[in-house]
Amino acid sequence: MSYLFLIIGAIFVNNFVLSQFLGICPFIGVSKKTDTALGMGLAVTFVMGLASVFTYMINKYVLVPLGLDAFLQTIAFILIIAGLVQSVEIVIKKVSPALYSALGVYLPLITTNCAVLGVALLNITKSYNLLQSFLNGVFSGVGFTLAILLLAGIRERLRDSDIPEHFQGFPITLIAASIMSMAFGAFSGMFGI
């Protein structure tokens, strides 16, 4: 598999939020402002990249040789992701207290973000090597960041728009996300991935 196709596929074609519908909670919850969305996107990208490397190593060098991959894979991956999220949370709290408070409850929720666990499991399912796993993790995070930034930009513009009362707030957000999902679906036809 070409690395370019892997990267394009992770960002556009197989976008975890808009194509596979994983990670919707932070996608909707943190997309009210672009600066907060960018912070969440970068945090998720960082965790996805590191989680892809660590889960690959643990799976290949610990779980598979011991024959425990069928039994402990998901639990081990969740523990690895939880440890990484705790580390990211500590760093963000120290480096940018404003971003830490803006992300609020959604930062610890990266631990249970099914997109992060999904990329780790997808790497194993597709039998990616270490480099492919890392690239898939990072660029899946880039795809998540792109999607959340686009939705945040749309939501900022919608705040100043004249929207019928019944569509204001959450309904118009879902409509915007649906249209984005259809637009990203067109990439699969363009690239044939």
Side-chain angles (χ1 to χ4, degrees):
M1 166 185 283
S2 165
Y3 290 113
L4 179 62
F5 281 142
L6 178 70
I7 291 167
I8 290 171
I11 296 173
F12 299 109
V13 180
N14 301 317
N15 186 292
F16 271 94
V17 177
L18 299 174
S19 296
Q20 299 182 28
F21 309 111
L22 298 173
I24 298 294
C25 180
F27 176 67
I28 298 294
V30 186
S31 62
K32 292 179 183 172
K33 294 170 56 180
T34 52
D35 55 342
T36 309
L38 178 62
M40 175 58 88
L42 293 175
V44 168
T45 301
F46 182 74
V47 170
M48 278 184 160
L50 284 180
S52 294
V53 170
F54 282 106
T55 54
Y56 174 86
M57 304 282 267
I58 293 294
N59 190 64
K60 180 169 178 133
Y61 298 113
V62 177
L63 297 177
V64 171
L66 295 175
L68 299 173
D69 54 319
F71 306 105
L72 296 178
Q73 192 175 63
T74 304
I75 294 169
F77 289 3
I78 290 172
L79 289 174
I80 291 166
I81 292 165
L84 290 171
V85 170
Q86 283 299 111
S87 303
V88 168
E89 188 174 359
I90 290 168
V91 169
I92 290 177
K93 187 175 184 178
K94 190 78 169 167
V95 172
S96 179
L99 178 60
Y100 177 79
S101 64
L103 291 175
V105 70
Y106 293 102
L107 188 57
L109 282 178
I110 295 175
T111 302
T112 58
N113 185 339
C114 50
V116 179
L117 180 60
V119 77
L121 292 172
L122 183 71
N123 291 336
I124 302 304
T125 304
K126 295 226 178 201
S127 301
Y128 287 158
N129 62 33
L130 182 60
L131 179 59
Q132 289 171 325
S133 295
F134 176 70
L135 290 175
N136 189 45
V138 168
F139 287 101
S140 292
V142 169
F144 177 86
T145 304
L146 176 66
I148 198 169
L149 274 174
L150 287 172
L151 185 63
I154 291 169
R155 289 179 79 176
E156 285 180 352
R157 297 284 308 263
L158 288 173
R159 256 180 280 181
D160 299 330
S161 300
D162 185 28
I163 299 169
E165 182 181 345
H166 297 294
F167 289 109
Q168 291 177 2
F170 193 63
I172 197 68
T173 301
L174 289 178
I175 291 169
S178 301
I179 292 169
M180 286 175 55
S181 180
M182 288 188 293
F184 270 67
F187 286 114
S188 64
M190 287 175 61
F191 295 105
I193 298 174

